[in-house]
Amino acid sequence: MSETPVMKFDNRFVSELPGDSERQNVPRAVHGACWTAVAAQPVDCPRLLIYSPEVAADLDLDEQAMTAPTMLAALAGNALLPGMVSYASCYGGHQFGHWAGQLGDGRAILLGELINRRGQRFELQLKGAGPTPYSRRADGRAVLRSSIREFLCSEAMHHLGVPTTRALSLVGTGETVVRDMFYDGHPVDEPGAIVCRVAPSFTRFGHFELPAARGDLDLLRRLVDFTIDRDFSEHRFDPGRRLLAWFTEICERTGRLLAHWMRVGFVHGVMNTDNMSIIGLTIDYGPYGWVDNFDPGWTPNTTDASSRRYCFARQPAIAHWNLERLADALSPLLPNPNELSAGLDRYHAVYASEFCAAYAAKLGFKSWLNDDADLLEALFDLMHHGEIDMTEFFRSLAGLAVDDPELAVVRTAFYREDLAGQVAPALTRWLDRYAQRLRQDGDSAAERIARMNRANPRYVLRNYLAQQAIDRAEQGDTTMIAELLAVLRHPYDEQSGSQRFSAKRPDWARHRAGCSMLSCSS
Ligand code: AMP
Ligand code: MG
């Protein structure tokens, strides 16, 4: 019996879209092509640190397949399995509000498109597998800390019900990578790693922006046709309005995505247009973070600390700005580009309705009523000024007795005694108002609690938890990665013995690098 796992690949991106005729793997501008053939750079001592059993199952890979030496070689970039091809894709993007020109997969190498037994398509992508023509001055590698963060968070997001790229595996390369974490002249050797990411499509807004910016309308048209055909095949867009209908679909998906982020307290950190998925997934986990104390202005990304362009509360508006850049890119293909504004309007409408539905569920309401917006605004204000923990507050709120609303129920969500004292009177009044609203719904407590517990996670990948798993893994102990993955697979269930994974941020983590301050250096 052969040890090599059998997988079926069809690789449409490389067979249907133009590739780069130049084969040299040196940093350069790539014109007239969507991809460049490039081999991963082999590593000496790869080790499979963990894999996601659910993603493996999606790919029809069992434990034997996942632990085969040939699989490890593929996941480390040391060899290709039969049917795989390896290439980097070409895209551009707006970074921090400015057009940045060509970016491309600088450290991501695609391994082709796997078709599982159910006929579902998955692109596989190694992040950190070595340089490509799109690496510019960087090394094409990724460090263990950022790879652990991507592996755990993308899986956590999936189990929370948030659209996201997935992670199949985390491989330690056995090699070191030099990084100056805060760009302040302190480079250090860090352990290297490679994540194998999985998604139906890794295509980004920036894939369309680059040919548009270069005036290469042929390439733009081909990429649009290909994407609609491959990634939106379940949609029968009206042929006369195909591009407009497709753009509207992208806007709607992005609206749903942003409502999810705002519901769970996820801050992406780098919402550049090259980090926006055309199929509406969360993509590119870098200096992201989870809101602990509710702070609309919080950003985990130190690079963004002064302008706060990508802070928590601005995310929905930034997504709209990014969609406008995509609309700009598509405009040359339309006789009347103004019609794209209908899609942008749909973004607002879908975001608003999904956000309201999500918060109705979080607050335990049967449905969202007009006056609920005032109630929620007042709550956000109290949570902000009282520095109340978002996850802990909403989860605890289900315990409120509607006939006797007591502040004590949400007392554990406070970080600071002095602020708790300050907001207590206003919060007590708010809880009275809220209890009255719940009585209006007339649900049984059991119904309401069940609804709230399905909407308010007990466990999220708190920034300090990821950092603890990283600290241990850097000492050679990867057990906490597995423990976190196990807990985060069921974020809405109370799990006995797992209280430490739902604990609020401890004091030591408030200003520690990796816990509240992250950089793009990864
Ligand atoms: P990011 O900020 O991670 O979304 O990356 C922006 C651009 O820089 C993309 O084109 C990345 O592929 C590229 N990039 C980031 N880190 C590296 C690296 N270590 N080596 C090569 N390219 C990189
Ligand atoms: Mg990126």
Side-chain angles (χ1 to χ4, degrees), residues 144-467:
L144 180 62
R145 61 180 156 83
S146 66
S147 306
I148 292 172
R149 284 169 49 82
E150 168 134 17
F151 179 87
L152 283 175
C153 196
S154 61
E155 287 305 285
M157 291 282 267
H158 168 77
H159 294 294
L160 282 165
V162 184
T164 178
T165 63
R166 306 289 301 273
L168 173 63
S169 57
L170 172 66
V171 166
T173 60
E175 297 180 358
T176 56
V177 180
V178 182
R179 288 288 183 273
D180 183 0
M181 201 199 297
F182 287 108
Y183 309 111
D184 57 359
H186 295 94
V188 292
D189 275 351
E190 295 193 47
I194 298 172
V195 169
C196 180
R197 310 197 281 196
V198 176
S201 167
F202 281 98
T203 302
R204 301 142 189 272
F205 290 8
H207 277 97
F208 302 90
E209 290 180 276
L210 185 60
R214 288 170 167 170
D216 189 347
L217 298 192
D218 270 352
L219 190 65
L220 177 62
R221 203 171 284 117
R222 283 187 69 172
L223 186 61
V224 168
D225 289 343
F226 173 83
T227 304
I228 293 175
D229 192 50
R230 190 193 68 168
D231 298 340
F232 292 79
S233 57
E234 73 276 25
H235 293 271
R236 299 230 174 84
F237 297 130
D238 172 0
R241 302 178 60 82
R242 198 180 57 119
L243 207 148
L244 291 170
W246 172 61
F247 179 68
T248 299
E249 175 65 23
I250 297 165
C251 291
E252 291 181 355
R253 288 188 193 201
T254 307
R256 282 194 286 275
L257 178 68
L258 268 291
H260 275 294
W261 289 1
M262 301 311 284
R263 129 184 121 76
V264 297
F266 175 78
V267 186
H268 183 285
V270 207
M271 290 179 70
N272 293 332
T273 56
D274 54 302
N275 292 338
M276 295 292 293
S277 151
I278 205 74
I279 59 171
L281 306 177
T282 313
I283 191 172
D284 271 14
Y285 291 85
Y288 69 81
W290 290 84
V291 169
D292 290 312
N293 53 297
F294 187 87
D295 179 358
W298 183 66
T299 173
N301 183 358
T302 51
T303 315
D304 193 31
S306 53
S307 73
R308 296 186 187 265
R309 180 179 172 85
Y310 297 142
C311 71
F312 182 45
R314 277 204 192 141
Q315 295 188 116
I318 291 291
H320 185 267
W321 190 90
N322 290 342
L323 286 162
E324 285 177 329
R325 302 293 73 75
L326 179 62
D328 292 344
L330 302 177
S331 291
L333 302 182
L334 286 162
N336 185 2
N338 290 336
E339 289 183 315
L340 287 164
S341 64
L344 294 166
D345 292 344
R346 283 297 296 158
Y347 168 79
H348 283 306
V350 169
Y351 172 74
S353 69
E354 294 286 321
F355 178 90
C356 292
Y359 271 88
K362 284 176 82 68
L363 291 166
F365 303 155
K366 274 185 180 158
S367 62
W368 186 258
L369 305 179
N370 274 343
D371 287 350
D372 293 338
D374 272 353
L375 194 68
L376 186 60
E377 268 317 303
L379 175 62
F380 282 165
D381 207 44
L382 287 167
M383 291 177 75
H384 180 200
H385 291 107
E387 294 193 14
I388 293 175
D389 187 85
M390 182 178 178
T391 305
E392 178 67 21
F393 179 85
F394 280 105
R395 185 73 185 194
S396 308
L397 192 59
L400 196 80
V402 170
D403 295 323
D404 182 18
E406 283 192 31
L407 184 73
V409 166
V410 293
R411 201 66 179 73
T412 52
F414 281 96
Y415 281 95
R416 287 174 47 179
E417 282 305 310
D418 55 339
L419 293 179
Q422 277 176 34
V423 300
L427 185 55
T428 303
R429 284 194 298 277
W430 185 89
L431 288 170
D432 281 341
R433 220 177 125 193
Y434 168 63
Q436 198 182 339
R437 168 69 178 86
L438 288 175
R439 286 194 294 273
Q440 204 179 317
D441 264 356
D443 265 353
S444 72
E447 283 173 301
R448 174 173 51 85
I449 291 169
R451 181 182 303 134
M452 291 176 80
N453 285 352
R454 283 193 301 272
N456 295 313
R458 166 58 82 200
Y459 306 96
V460 297
L461 183 61
R462 291 179 180 274
N463 314 309
Y464 83 90
L465 290 172
Q467 189 57 39

Side-chain angles (χ1 to χ4, degrees), residues 7-15 35 38 59 74 80-89 105 108-115 120-126 196-202 226 230:
M7 301 151 91
K8 183 178 148 201
F9 288 87
D10 84 343
N11 307 334
R12 288 183 61 185
F13 199 88
V14 293
S15 61
W35 55 275
V38 56
L59 306 181
L80 295 178
L81 293 173
M84 286 179 170
V85 283
S86 88
Y87 59 99
S89 76
D105 292 324
I109 294 183
L110 288 137
L111 297 177
E113 300 162 44
L114 180 146
I115 310 295
Q120 295 166 314
R121 174 181 309 275
F122 296 99
E123 288 193 316
L124 308 188
Q125 187 176 83
L126 300 181
C196 180
R197 310 197 281 196
V198 176
S201 167
F202 281 98
F226 173 83
R230 190 193 68 168

